[in-house]
Amino acid sequence: MKKAVYSICGMCTVRCPIYVESENDRVTWIEGNPHLLGGALCAKGSAGPALREDHERPQQPLIRVGARGAGRWREASWEEALDYVAEKLADIKAEHGAESVVLSSRGGPWQSMYKAFIHAFGSPNYTNHDCTCGRNTHHASLSINGVGRKGFAYDIKNANHLVLFGRDMFSSLRIAENIQTLDMLDNGGRLTYVDVRQTNTGVKATRFFQVRPGTDYALALGVIHQVIAKGYYDQQFVDRYVSDFRSLMDFVEQYTPAWAAAECGVKEKDIIDFVEEIGQDRPKVIFHPGWNLSRYRDSFYASRALHILNILMGNIEIKGGLFIPKGAGDCGVKGIRNIDCGKPDIKRGDGVGWKYTHFDKGPGLAHLFFNNMLKGDPYPIKAWIAMRHDPLSGMPDPEEQKKAFDTCDLLVAIDTNYSEFGWYADVILPESTYLERDTPICQQKGLKPRLAVRRKAVEPKYDTKASWEIFKQLADRLDIGEHFPYNTIDELWAWQLEPTGITMADFEEKGFVELTDSPIYYDRDALDSQFKTPSGKLEMVSEKLNGVELPSLKPYVSPDKPEKGMFRLIYGRTAIHTHGHTTNNPLLSELMPTNTLWLNKREAKKMDINDGDWVEVASNDGFYRATVQATLTDHLHPEAVFTFHGFGRDIPRQTRNFMAGVSDQKLMRGKLDDWDQAGGAINLCEVFVSVKKSIRNRTGRGTL
């Protein structure tokens, strides 16, 4: 039997819209939704059918029978596994209180369901992966704009100039954004890229700054100085909407292009020429404020500086600039319902909201749980449920994390693949792959907001379930099922759509439902209510930061230089893989079976290392060592070494990526508690490693 559905990809967290054909319950065709992406899809999305067919993923619920991490499991039915988890949670709640349970996830449009579950259970402790991704950018935006990082979106296609600081968008793919960027370049727009190495994005740039690691903030300050000095900013916009502009002017006076050039290792003339370009191209100039800015100790302030540059450009609510994403209410229609439950009035176990009052309480900060777990402060944490989240792969120093996890009586992983956390957990509840599961309807905000839904293309190959079903069945067992008012996905969809007048039949034609025919812009002369800061203005000096005695305009501090024989470790993304989620995929592992260690050619020559040689890279305490092949390049700053994230995994059931390459997070010894006090994110690129030529290299007598 043939079948065709519009759906949503699940190979990464971008969730591109897709079109899928199947026959006799096997996927025969997959492409990007032609109504939105013109059929375009990345390698990861194209490898979705291989994920479905992969026998090296959990095929039924598993309950641990050996020591944690030993890989000894017994197969269980869903009834037994869900009963086991529910009984353990009920016992923990009775003995330690509901707040002793944490639930973490990958975030995204369906996290309201996960939040509702843990809040209905009685715990405030929902968290996600964002402490290693966008928290610095999010809090930087809140401190200036009064809204988080998703409070603005970008009309790249119609821009004159896009500026990216380490945002390697053509490796960390978002297909719609990539198409917009290529269209902008085809239309004569400019792309400026800033990074410590050349990348897939940098080679498409019209201007590339290769900066010394940790100096992004310095370059941004030098640009702000020159923009103000030349008067290349929107005076009218600043006068109306910005507070403390004089403080900004005084602060940046010392940070000249000459100073920034010397600090970053670039040419002063290039900075001056760049500012002339954006002076010509404004207001349609977009400074992307960063995505994975969980990097350096001042990344929060670097992101804050990029937000400030957008304000100076006066690019808010214009075509080719930034816009505030619109929802159903902006279209004059009612929105969908989402599963929800109010957060219990209990202190969070990570300290966010009561100890750290300047941070957004929403998902808190996952890494701040660990020290508190070891101390039992403010209360014990006795269970951790990870919904498609892998803390051991995503955060530094997994061995230190395990000490905290060992204080728990229950660790549960809900995932389509074996994760490092899942391998260490007590129970694995396998989620169906995205091609095998339906999901709740979600609203996608934008200039033309729409409703979207994932429809399953084929039936589950193994004994797996969708997350909506897993959480419903757990909730029923814990007597909180009233917060999940459905038994089937059709009932859930009908409940969501009831206020809107839209039916599921309306999704058939294109896979989505647009809520307006024309783009919606707000009146630029009436934006006062859009900035949710204490002052109601765009704050150069944040009242919230002042309240916790943190500077809004922080004086620049030059980053540490590596000692002799050491290098700063930089990690990044590849267009082929999604972190560690896909490195065992049958197709993608053929395209890229392992990672390598990039070294600057001149530095490698000093160590007698040639391209392709095996090298040993070690953490600064020598605890973790890995042998990996070297990739030599002129296009990497000599203070740094680089590797792609997601490798060095130690799960024997995943034979394709078992022990392949090097794990950057395992090299980050002692860095779990090294985090940005203003932005909240972990400082993932403040690690120095040693590198030497390995004895594994060929000799005259063969290979050792």
Side-chain angles (χ1 to χ4, degrees):
M1 184 178 70
K2 294 183 178 181
K3 180 181 177 181
V5 297
Y6 290 105
S7 190
I8 298 175
C9 187
M11 291 297 285
C12 77
T13 52
V14 174
R15 304 176 189 91
C16 290
I18 55 175
Y19 170 77
V20 187
E21 294 178 355
S22 62
E23 185 172 1
N24 298 328
D25 217 34
R26 290 182 67 88
V27 175
T28 57
W29 180 257
I30 186 169
E31 66 178 359
N33 187 317
H35 302 290
L36 294 170
L37 299 180
L41 198 62
C42 73
K44 293 173 289 186
S46 300
L51 169 63
R52 196 247 179 177
E53 299 300 322
D54 187 8
H55 65 276
E56 294 188 355
R57 60 181 174 95
Q59 299 179 19
Q60 66 284 306
L62 299 172
I63 298 175
R64 178 177 62 83
V65 294
R68 279 181 176 164
R72 294 179 59 199
W73 306 92
R74 67 176 176 85
E75 298 176 1
S77 68
W78 274 99
E79 184 174 358
E80 180 189 6
L82 292 170
D83 284 346
Y84 180 92
V85 171
E87 288 169 11
K88 285 279 190 181
L89 289 173
D91 290 344
I92 289 168
K93 183 176 183 177
E95 183 175 354
H96 301 285
E99 64 272 18
S100 63
V101 179
V102 175
L103 190 151
S104 64
S105 86
R106 287 286 301 169
W110 301 292
Q111 62 183 315
S112 62
M113 177 175 290
Y114 321 140
K115 290 181 184 178
F117 176 84
I118 197 67
H119 291 167
F121 183 76
S123 173
N125 292 319
Y126 169 76
T127 190
N128 64 21
H129 73 293
D130 216 32
C131 67
T132 54
C133 186
R135 268 303 92 171
N136 280 340
T137 304
H138 179 77
H139 286 131
S141 181
L142 278 172
S143 74
I144 292 178
N145 307 312
V147 295
R149 67 184 172 105
K150 295 182 180 179
F152 289 103
Y154 318 103
D155 182 16
I156 295 173
K157 179 178 180 178
N158 296 302
N160 293 332
H161 203 140
L162 175 63
V163 187
L164 304 171
F165 276 61
R167 171 73 178 123
D168 184 10
M169 62 159 53
F170 287 101
S171 294
S172 182
L173 295 170
R174 299 170 66 86
I175 300 299
E177 184 179 70
N178 301 141
I179 292 172
Q180 282 198 43
T181 304
L182 293 174
D183 286 345
M184 179 204 71
L185 291 171
D186 286 343
N187 292 333
R190 294 190 259 217
L191 172 62
T192 293
Y193 187 67
V194 182
D195 208 331
V196 303
R197 68 183 183 102
Q198 185 58 285
T199 67
N200 288 341
T201 306
V203 296
K204 293 177 174 62
T206 50
R207 182 177 294 279
F208 172 55
F209 288 102
Q210 186 177 55
V211 295
R212 181 183 164 220
T215 62
D216 294 22
Y217 184 37
L219 182 59
L221 289 175
V223 172
I224 293 174
H225 171 104
Q226 189 69 0
V227 164
I228 293 176
K230 297 290 289 187
Y232 293 158
Y233 62 93
D234 189 328
Q235 182 73 59
Q236 184 178 358
F237 187 86
V238 167
D239 289 345
R240 173 151 190 170
Y241 294 120
V242 175
S243 68
D244 298 301
F245 184 60
R246 172 53 62 182
S247 297
L248 175 67
M249 293 177 68
D250 293 342
F251 173 72
V252 298
E253 187 174 357
Q254 63 181 308
Y255 298 118
T256 64
W259 167 85
E263 182 62 26
C264 299
V266 299
K267 295 179 180 179
E268 177 187 6
K269 182 180 183 300
D270 289 344
I271 298 176
I272 292 172
D273 289 348
F274 166 63
V275 173
E276 289 300 314
E277 288 177 359
I278 61 174
Q280 297 166 18
D281 295 337
R282 64 190 177 97
K284 295 184 178 184
V285 178
I286 298 173
F287 283 83
H288 195 293
W291 195 267
N292 181 217
L293 269 191
S294 182
R295 292 180 178 270
Y296 307 116
R297 291 193 177 100
D298 60 6
S299 286
F300 167 82
Y301 291 99
S303 181
R304 206 168 189 277
L306 297 173
H307 281 291
I308 287 172
L309 280 161
N310 279 322
I311 292 168
L312 296 180
M313 296 296 99
N315 63 10
I316 297 174
E317 283 298 299
I318 65 166
K319 188 175 181 179
L322 274 60
F323 61 88
I324 298 165
K326 315 306 187 299
D330 298 294
C331 303
V333 299
K334 291 185 177 180
I336 57 171
R337 291 169 170 162
N338 282 311
I339 304 296
D340 192 22
C341 180
K343 184 186 295 185
D345 188 18
I346 303 172
K347 289 181 176 179
R348 288 184 59 91
D350 56 4
V352 173
W354 58 277
K355 185 176 181 180
Y356 306 106
T357 58
H358 59 299
F359 293 141
D360 177 14
K361 288 189 290 186
L365 292 163
H367 61 288
L368 296 185
F369 279 103
F370 294 114
N371 273 339
N372 294 353
M373 291 166 72
L374 292 169
K375 299 173 185 175
D377 177 31
Y379 42 74
I381 298 295
K382 305 305 292 183
W384 191 298
I385 304 169
M387 171 62 206
R388 297 202 68 207
H389 179 217
D390 189 357
L392 295 179
S393 287
M395 288 191 272
D397 206 342
E399 293 306 312
E400 193 65 23
Q401 290 183 57
K402 289 175 184 177
K403 294 177 184 177
F405 285 133
D406 282 343
T407 67
C408 293
D409 297 334
L410 179 67
L411 302 176
V412 180
I414 304 172
D415 212 330
T416 56
N417 276 308
Y418 291 107
S419 65
E420 298 270 13
F421 176 86
W423 197 248
Y424 198 72
D426 305 310
V427 181
I428 297 176
L429 301 177
E431 187 184 31
S432 303
T433 70
Y434 72 95
L435 290 168
E436 303 169 320
R437 69 177 186 263
D438 300 302
T439 58
I441 299 163
C442 61
Q443 177 181 243
Q444 297 175 336
K445 291 187 173 182
L447 288 172
K448 294 176 65 176
R450 58 179 175 254
L451 301 181
V453 64
R454 174 183 285 143
R455 306 294 295 265
K456 67 179 177 181
V458 289
E459 294 300 317
K461 183 178 178 69
Y462 301 121
D463 189 13
T464 60
K465 290 183 182 291
S467 58
W468 62 265
E469 192 174 6
I470 295 171
F471 282 102
K472 168 62 175 176
Q473 293 184 10
L474 276 177
D476 285 345
R477 285 168 166 79
L478 292 164
D479 297 324
I480 55 175
E482 69 272 15
H483 296 283
F484 296 79
Y486 59 85
N487 289 302
T488 67
I489 192 65
D490 290 309
E491 291 178 0
L492 175 53
W493 287 336
W495 177 82
Q496 286 189 281
L497 289 174
E498 192 275 331
T500 69
I502 297 168
T503 69
M504 291 305 297
D506 295 318
F507 290 87
E508 296 296 330
E509 183 182 358
K510 296 181 179 180
F512 58 92
V513 177
E514 287 188 318
L515 302 180
T516 181
D517 295 327
S518 303
I520 300 173
Y521 286 95
Y522 293 145
D523 183 354
R524 271 176 53 85
D525 294 326
L527 294 177
D528 306 77
S529 63
Q530 300 298 329
F531 310 127
K532 311 299 182 183
T533 59
S535 68
K537 298 280 190 179
L538 296 163
E539 294 185 349
M540 301 297 100
V541 176
S542 166
E543 292 186 22
K544 199 166 190 177
L545 290 175
N546 284 345
V548 292
E549 299 183 348
L550 285 169
S552 299
L553 302 168
K554 185 179 180 181
Y556 177 80
V557 177
S558 188
D560 296 334
K561 291 187 176 182
E563 297 177 3
K564 187 176 180 179
M566 305 289 285
F567 299 87
R568 185 183 291 266
L569 176 65
I570 304 294
Y571 69 92
R573 294 284 305 278
T574 168
I576 296 172
H577 287 299
T578 303
H579 307 295
H581 301 292
T582 63
T583 52
N584 200 59
N585 182 280
L587 289 181
L588 299 177
S589 62
E590 288 188 20
L591 290 175
M592 185 178 180
T594 188
N595 60 359
T596 61
L597 192 73
W598 291 27
L599 294 95
N600 177 278
K601 279 185 178 179
R602 295 189 302 278
E603 294 299 313
K605 186 176 181 180
K606 297 175 186 177
M607 297 181 284
D608 191 30
I609 294 172
N610 298 306
D611 193 57
D613 280 353
W614 292 94
V615 295
E616 182 182 278
V617 55
S619 57
N620 55 9
D621 64 356
F623 180 85
Y624 175 72
R625 297 174 182 272
T627 302
V628 65
Q629 284 186 290
T631 296
L632 305 192
T633 176
D634 290 321
H635 304 295
L636 173 69
H637 195 280
E639 289 185 12
V641 293
F642 169 85
T643 196
F644 290 112
H645 177 70
F647 290 89
R649 295 166 66 82
D650 188 13
I651 301 172
R653 289 195 184 186
Q654 292 184 322
T655 62
R656 305 177 198 98
N657 69 359
F658 180 63
M659 302 297 287
V662 59
S663 164
D664 55 279
Q665 74 271 11
K666 292 176 184 176
L667 286 165
M668 298 176 187
R669 296 279 297 166
K671 292 298 179 179
L672 191 59
D673 200 34
D674 184 354
W675 54 282
D676 191 315
Q677 302 295 312
I682 303 176
N683 300 324
L684 296 174
C685 290
E686 294 288 354
V687 178
F688 294 95
V689 298
S690 63
V691 180
K692 65 179 181 181
K693 192 169 185 176
S694 171
I695 60 171
R696 187 174 172 180
N697 291 294
R698 293 178 178 177
T699 67
R701 309 174 93 181
T703 302
L704 293 178

